[in-house]
Amino acid sequence: MSGDSKSTTHQVVIVGGGPVGLWTAHELALAGVRPLVLERSEHRSAHSKALGVHPRTIEVLAMRGRHEELLAAGRPVPNWHFGMLDARLDFRSLPTPFPFMLAFPQSATEQLLERYATELGAEVRRGHEVVSLTQDDETVTLGVRGPDGSYEVTAQYLVGSDGTRSTVRRQVGCEFPGTETSAYGYLGEVVLDSPPPAGFQALNEAGRLLVVPLAHGRYRVTGYDPLNQHRDPLTLEELRDAARRIAGTDFGMRDPSWLTRFGNATRLAASYRTGRVLLAGDAAHSHFPAGGVGLNVGLQDAMNLGWKLAAVAQGRAGAELLDTYHAERHAVGEELAEHTLAQSALITGLTPDVSALRSLLSDAVAGDPHFSRMLAGKLSGLDTVYPPTDPHAHPLTGVRAYDPEGQGVLPLLRDGRPVLLTMGDTPTSGEVAERAATAGVTVHRSRLSVTGGEQWAGVTAALLRPDGHVWWATEHTVATPGHASATIKALDTLPAPR
């Protein structure tokens, strides 16, 4: 789509048309904001940096009814690795309707997300590069270079989801502190005439090697080779040599479609918000691609940001709501940096002390269900909690709502609106129902006080945010003035009513 030589104005412009930008666009469009997505590349990359969709990301898509095509085409993987330890994390016991990592390539994910966003009215322009950015108290102005020349775009708000080398982040002067690259991994997508069994990995003093099957008879061969620690382009001969030294064979490797290196530099944006500019995905956090979590954390950034930004852009909430995006997701970014650095050390460390640490941790994963569950919670995204600022808030506030009956609360959130869950058989009072309707909140009867476990026992009502986290909860007895008044107060003080 070509640009316009005249300046155009939009509520929200998104720079970067990868999965994070496209899901942000979907969320905005679902709420009635028609975003413009500017993507520098003319064509979607045929290469998929990410190959897996983790449980919480499937839940995120399921909240909007956008998960069926992924589930139909993807391959469930019931266990996954942390730092390529010998013992794997078992996802089958995780509290989710989707207790697995779904093998599904990023390129296919992008195709689906773009279709979903454009179906709702988002506009995607490919081959349009942002070359300048200024902002004031009212707007953000972008200089864009497109196929038909340069033009300007003005927006109320801007989202930078344009990757680790983010132009948006640099233009707004946001610092990106962290660690420099100290180790390089390798990655090749090839044909293997003699492929190993599924799940094959080799880990020894010569290095690390993991083989992942792809579609159409191709394989991803990736790992760490201590003899080739440099930035030069990876060659097929080098990949074959590494495989022979580490795995004892090159598996009949041929016909590469992608050869690349990646480093373990780990950085986190100092702020996810600078005035009217927000950062999400790799523009906000860069790390070693261990555990396959990068795309997933980015999509979860977008889920947190989308409904908030829509509410602010539409005047339903004050701009301070956007500060909660930084507060909630920056903390997730810090945890992401920590565990990917830890995994990088386990993968690239070949000394006896690291070998001993790997053995100890692998034994802990295999023998201690609580330890294994903790690591699985980090990788899957299911344990993310957004702690409330109010010390008197109910303990459930900020927790991901999970109902073990079927898909639970997920279908209730398909229109992107807050949801009021009422427990028990007592009908919702007329006044509560009226206030809920005024606030654009749907009301549903729930059994979570019975099925949700210890945290939910005694809860009589709860408000869920559009992203599925608890906004407010009460244990006031139903059909009492205290219950009705507390619920009405919560509805009247929603930060983003519809």
Side-chain angles (χ1 to χ4, degrees):
M1 182 176 296
S2 63
D4 190 327
S5 60
K6 297 179 181 179
S7 177
T8 55
T9 301
H10 300 262
Q11 286 178 294
V12 178
V13 171
I14 299 167
V15 180
V20 177
L22 293 170
W23 189 248
T24 305
H26 175 277
E27 288 299 285
L28 290 164
L30 182 65
V33 175
R34 187 172 182 264
L36 170 64
V37 180
L38 300 174
E39 167 54 46
R40 179 179 61 183
S41 301
E42 292 186 17
H43 306 286
R44 182 180 297 108
S45 173
H47 306 308
S48 294
K49 291 191 293 183
L51 291 179
V53 183
H54 281 294
R56 182 54 178 168
T57 306
I58 305 175
E59 288 188 355
V60 162
L61 300 174
M63 284 183 227
R64 306 297 187 250
R66 299 296 197 178
H67 62 305
E68 290 94 344
E69 290 182 277
L70 274 82
L71 291 179
R75 176 174 58 87
V77 179
N79 54 60
W80 195 234
H81 72 86
F82 184 91
M84 293 182 71
L85 294 175
D86 293 330
R88 293 206 165 195
L89 306 174
D90 189 351
F91 281 8
R92 289 174 295 181
S93 62
L94 292 175
T96 174
F98 314 108
F100 46 79
M101 192 277 290
L102 189 70
F104 195 74
Q106 178 175 327
S107 59
T109 302
E110 284 187 18
Q111 287 182 323
L112 291 176
L113 296 185
E114 182 166 344
R115 172 157 59 84
Y116 298 154
T118 54
E119 283 175 353
L120 293 176
E123 179 185 358
V124 179
R125 297 181 187 175
R126 293 192 173 274
H128 291 249
E129 180 181 8
V130 171
V131 294
S132 66
L133 183 163
T134 59
Q135 66 170 317
D136 55 31
D137 292 341
E138 302 296 329
T139 57
V140 183
T141 302
L142 299 174
V144 184
R145 184 167 52 232
D148 298 331
S150 298
Y151 63 100
E152 279 193 350
V153 171
T154 302
Q156 292 180 30
Y157 289 94
L158 174 70
V159 178
S161 56
D162 51 340
T164 57
R165 298 177 182 177
S166 170
T167 296
V168 171
R169 188 187 63 239
R170 293 198 307 269
Q171 288 280 336
V172 298
C174 178
E175 295 183 0
F176 201 38
T179 63
E180 299 290 344
T181 297
S182 61
Y184 290 96
Y186 61 84
L187 183 154
E189 293 191 351
V190 293
V191 173
L192 300 181
D193 289 331
S194 302
F200 177 84
Q201 62 183 32
L203 307 108
N204 50 52
E205 65 280 356
R208 316 292 189 209
L209 182 140
L210 177 69
V211 178
V212 180
L214 306 173
H216 311 299
R218 303 191 70 81
Y219 292 82
R220 174 171 290 186
V221 179
T222 186
Y224 172 73
D225 177 9
L227 296 188
N228 289 285
Q229 290 297 295
H230 51 77
R231 296 176 181 269
D232 296 342
L234 179 68
T235 67
L236 179 61
E237 283 308 313
E238 183 183 322
L239 184 63
R240 283 173 171 159
D241 176 67
R244 292 171 188 143
R245 284 185 285 105
I246 299 169
T249 175
D250 65 9
F251 309 103
M253 192 181 299
R254 60 181 172 85
D255 298 338
S257 56
W258 189 25
L259 297 169
T260 189
R261 297 186 203 278
F262 52 88
N264 66 344
T266 302
R267 298 183 178 279
L268 184 64
S271 177
Y272 283 20
R273 180 190 179 196
T274 303
R276 292 180 169 271
V277 178
L278 294 305
L279 300 176
D282 290 348
H285 37 76
S286 171
H287 54 89
F288 196 65
V293 294
L295 176 146
N296 294 272
V297 173
L299 286 176
Q300 292 158 36
D301 287 344
M303 190 66 162
N304 185 291
L305 175 60
W307 64 270
K308 295 176 179 178
L309 185 53
V312 174
Q314 292 172 330
R316 295 184 283 110
E320 64 276 4
L321 181 61
L322 298 177
D323 291 331
T324 69
Y325 168 65
H326 168 83
E328 293 177 348
R329 295 306 297 177
H330 192 269
V332 174
E334 290 176 331
E335 185 171 318
L336 171 70
E338 180 183 62
H339 76 69
T340 52
L341 276 172
Q343 292 187 75
S344 171
L346 292 171
I347 292 170
T348 63
L350 304 178
T351 57
D353 53 347
V354 175
S355 296
L357 178 61
R358 287 180 56 84
S359 178
L360 185 149
L361 292 177
S362 192
D363 287 348
V365 167
D368 185 343
H370 296 291
F371 182 72
S372 179
R373 170 66 181 79
M374 181 271 290
L375 293 182
K378 288 181 181 294
L379 293 191
S380 67
L382 296 175
D383 285 355
T384 297
V385 177
Y386 302 137
T389 56
D390 179 4
H392 304 295
H394 191 278
L396 276 176
T397 306
V399 171
R400 155 188 164 269
Y402 170 64
D403 185 343
E405 295 191 332
Q407 290 193 14
V409 300
L410 302 178
L412 307 181
L413 294 155
R414 290 198 174 183
D415 62 0
R417 295 176 180 269
V419 172
L420 174 62
L421 301 179
T422 60
M423 314 295 170
D425 298 324
T426 304
T428 303
S429 73
E431 189 176 7
V432 168
E434 181 181 339
R435 295 296 181 89
T438 300
V441 176
T442 56
V443 182
H444 292 274
R445 191 69 54 82
S446 174
R447 286 171 35 85
L448 264 174
S449 59
V450 176
T451 63
E454 184 178 345
Q455 280 186 304
W456 285 89
V459 172
T460 53
L463 266 170
L464 303 187
R465 303 169 9 160
D467 58 10
H469 288 259
V470 176
W471 217 332
W472 164 90
T474 185
E475 297 184 16
H476 280 291
T477 304
V478 179
T480 63
H483 181 274
S485 63
T487 307
I488 289 168
K489 181 180 179 182
L491 290 167
D492 286 347
T493 56
L494 283 179
R498 290 292 292 267

